[in-house]
Amino acid sequence: MGDIKKVVLAYSGGLDTSIIIPWLKENYDNCEVIAVSGDVGQGTELDGLEEKAIKTGASKLYIEDLNKEFIEEYVFPTIKAGAVYESKYLLGTSFARPVIAKRIVEIALKEGADAICHGCTGKGNDQVRFELAIKAFAPDMKIIAPWREWSIKSRDEEIDYAEAHNIPLKITRETNYSKDKNIWHISHEGLDLENPANEPMYNKEGFLELGVSPEQAPDKPAYVTISFEKGVPTAIDGEKLGSVEIVKKLNKLGGENGIGIVDLVENRLVGMKSRGVYETPGGTILYHAHNKLEEITLDRDTYHFKQQVGLRFAELVYFGQWYTPLRKALSAFVDSTQETVTGDVKLKLYKGNIIDAGVTSPYSLYDEDIATFDEDEVYNQKDSAGFINLFGLPIKVQAKKGLVKE
């Protein structure tokens, strides 16, 4: 299949990439395969990965620690934008792909590779995310996507291939959910979830991995205070922490209290609808807290316009368009809005719910003297009459012309 002597493979050690190594060697003239795993918080999934990659035919494995870069350069800018895809999805898989793909390109160029390979299916969004990032940094690099070439049609057939090639797997046909895990979230797709009529088995042992269902959460609420500086979380309960530590700590706290479990039928970029269950405990807390702080620190027009920007920003992230001029420009706008988003947000976590428990900021635009229902000396209520007359003038003119319809 062309003059391919060296391939760099985006390697997770999961079902797809486990069988891709021998498949590449079988179909590309025994080419050298260099595996690269981007560590974005998969945890124990990385255990034994080097031995497995070498045994299945790779010449070497890079494991790149991308956790800090992932959180600070991709996750936090997205939180600051308030970007949520289709009102529910906090983009856990979406913004992990660009940072991984960027590092894979760097290694491919250093190794003098002829091609980059990924295990994304032809039905998914990830193929777009990976390949757009590759094009951004190595526009002439050949891309190999086995799902668009091989004769394998299903995950069952993938397991057949693995068994025939003595490739060890951590899954069985009965537990073969398609999952993606990183420090920010974990997604679950496939099996019984493919029918939207089926209720997810949240309380089934081993289904939820980052926490418990709301029913299993403690009967006592937990309180947490998150501090922000210019839109970036910096401390929990007064303790200064690094970016990775903040996410990990909130994941633990949120998971224990059943926070951040979402069941979503989403509109994929490639045109189909897909059903997934997402666990994002710490991220859900951070999004809520950040928005709460913006309520008191942003003026009305900026706050409302920023909500529109957040929708477009979420699409760009979901569609794999991180390395585009528009995303960069929107981030510049968002950063300019965050100059005063500094303060503390106190939240109460209880059985899957996040309840506001107080917010303070040195830049708060909330003025109790103006907002009070008691007597005040700073707001002349008579002024509102003239405002309403001017604000309502267009509709008054239309009414006189008989143009106002029910």
Side-chain angles (χ1 to χ4, degrees):
M1 293 188 182
D3 187 22
I4 303 295
K5 294 182 174 61
K6 185 184 292 188
V7 178
V8 169
L9 168 65
Y11 184 72
S12 69
L15 177 58
D16 296 320
T17 57
S18 291
I19 69 172
I20 282 175
I21 294 176
W23 181 87
L24 281 170
K25 297 182 79 67
E26 288 175 359
N27 290 273
Y28 284 86
D29 299 324
N30 198 34
C31 63
E32 180 184 359
V33 179
I34 298 171
V36 180
S37 293
D39 178 4
V40 285
Q42 299 94 313
T44 58
E45 291 182 8
L46 299 173
D47 293 348
L49 218 54
E50 183 174 11
E51 180 183 3
K52 181 177 180 179
I54 301 300
K55 280 187 174 180
T56 51
S59 63
K60 68 174 78 170
L61 170 68
Y62 287 86
I63 297 181
E64 301 291 294
D65 184 355
L66 304 175
N67 283 275
K68 190 171 187 289
E69 181 181 356
F70 172 46
I71 294 298
E72 294 182 2
E73 298 184 24
Y74 298 81
V75 175
F76 284 174
T78 306
I79 295 175
K80 288 192 290 184
V84 181
Y85 187 70
E86 297 191 338
S87 302
K88 288 185 177 181
Y89 179 39
L90 300 187
L91 299 164
T93 297
S94 308
F95 48 28
R97 296 315 186 218
V99 66
I100 294 172
K102 179 184 176 185
R103 183 59 57 88
I104 288 171
V105 169
E106 291 169 354
I107 291 172
L109 294 176
K110 182 182 76 171
E111 289 280 355
D114 303 303
I116 291 174
C117 179
H118 65 75
C120 308
T121 75
K123 288 185 175 182
N125 300 305
D126 278 347
Q127 58 182 333
V128 182
R129 297 164 183 156
F130 268 112
E131 294 186 29
L132 291 190
I134 293 168
K135 291 178 187 299
F137 297 102
D140 296 322
M141 181 70 69
K142 179 176 175 57
I143 298 172
I144 300 173
W147 271 104
R148 302 201 291 258
E149 296 182 19
W150 62 22
S151 60
I152 295 172
K153 303 296 184 185
S154 68
R155 288 176 71 81
D156 266 348
E157 289 186 11
E158 284 187 289
I159 294 175
D160 290 339
Y161 185 97
E163 291 173 348
H165 289 75
N166 298 313
I167 299 171
L169 299 174
K170 294 181 180 179
I171 61 172
T172 67
R173 297 178 195 272
E174 291 74 30
T175 61
N176 187 20
Y177 285 107
S178 177
K179 296 189 178 188
D180 177 71
K181 181 181 181 180
N182 58 45
I183 190 175
W184 183 249
H185 92 149
I186 184 167
S187 63
H188 311 260
E189 295 178 321
L191 298 181
D192 55 298
L193 297 178
E194 291 188 344
N195 185 348
N198 292 333
E199 179 181 1
M201 296 181 287
Y202 296 130
N203 294 324
K204 180 181 179 181
E205 184 177 353
F207 182 75
L208 295 178
E209 296 189 26
L210 299 184
V212 299
S213 68
E215 298 95 323
Q216 294 175 320
D219 293 329
K220 181 181 179 181
Y223 285 87
V224 63
T225 298
I226 304 170
S227 301
F228 290 83
E229 294 179 11
K230 295 186 177 182
V232 175
T234 57
I236 297 176
D237 295 329
E239 180 186 5
K240 290 278 188 179
L241 296 170
S243 56
V244 173
E245 288 72 25
I246 283 175
V247 174
K248 286 182 176 180
K249 188 165 185 174
L250 291 178
N251 269 341
K252 183 176 185 298
L253 182 62
E256 292 170 347
N257 288 277
I259 304 295
I261 302 169
V262 166
D263 180 359
L264 172 64
V265 176
E266 69 199 62
N267 289 291
R268 283 185 177 176
L269 172 60
V270 293
M272 71 186 71
K273 289 185 181 288
S274 173
R275 197 256 190 115
V277 170
Y278 299 101
E279 300 177 63
T280 321
T284 301
I285 295 171
L286 283 173
Y287 263 85
H288 188 108
H290 180 263
N291 182 68
K292 188 64 182 177
L293 186 57
E294 285 191 328
E295 285 182 8
I296 67 169
T297 57
L298 296 187
D299 66 279
R300 180 193 64 203
D301 288 349
T302 300
Y303 185 73
H304 287 181
F305 186 73
K306 187 171 173 292
Q307 289 178 320
Q308 299 176 49
V309 169
L311 291 174
R312 188 69 181 98
F313 198 105
E315 287 183 336
L316 291 173
V317 177
Y318 188 86
F319 295 164
Q321 296 173 297
W322 185 270
Y323 302 115
T324 59
L326 179 56
R327 200 284 306 166
K328 185 177 180 181
L330 291 185
S331 282
F333 163 75
V334 168
D335 285 344
S336 74
T337 70
Q338 300 297 291
E339 289 296 318
T340 60
V341 184
T342 295
D344 299 326
V345 182
K346 185 178 182 181
L347 301 172
K348 179 166 66 173
L349 313 178
Y350 183 67
K351 289 189 173 297
N353 296 290
I354 302 177
I355 303 164
D356 298 326
V359 56
T360 60
S361 170
Y363 302 104
S364 176
L365 299 178
Y366 180 85
D367 190 326
E368 189 174 350
D369 289 337
I370 294 176
T372 182
F373 283 96
D374 294 330
E375 183 178 352
D376 70 84
E377 298 180 355
V378 296
Y379 189 98
N380 187 345
Q381 298 196 32
K382 292 181 180 179
D383 291 344
S384 63
F387 165 75
I388 295 170
N389 286 336
L390 293 177
F391 190 66
L393 183 58
I395 195 169
K396 181 177 179 179
V397 172
Q398 292 177 65
K400 285 187 172 185
K401 298 289 186 179
L403 300 176
V404 177
K405 307 295 183 180
E406 291 186 5

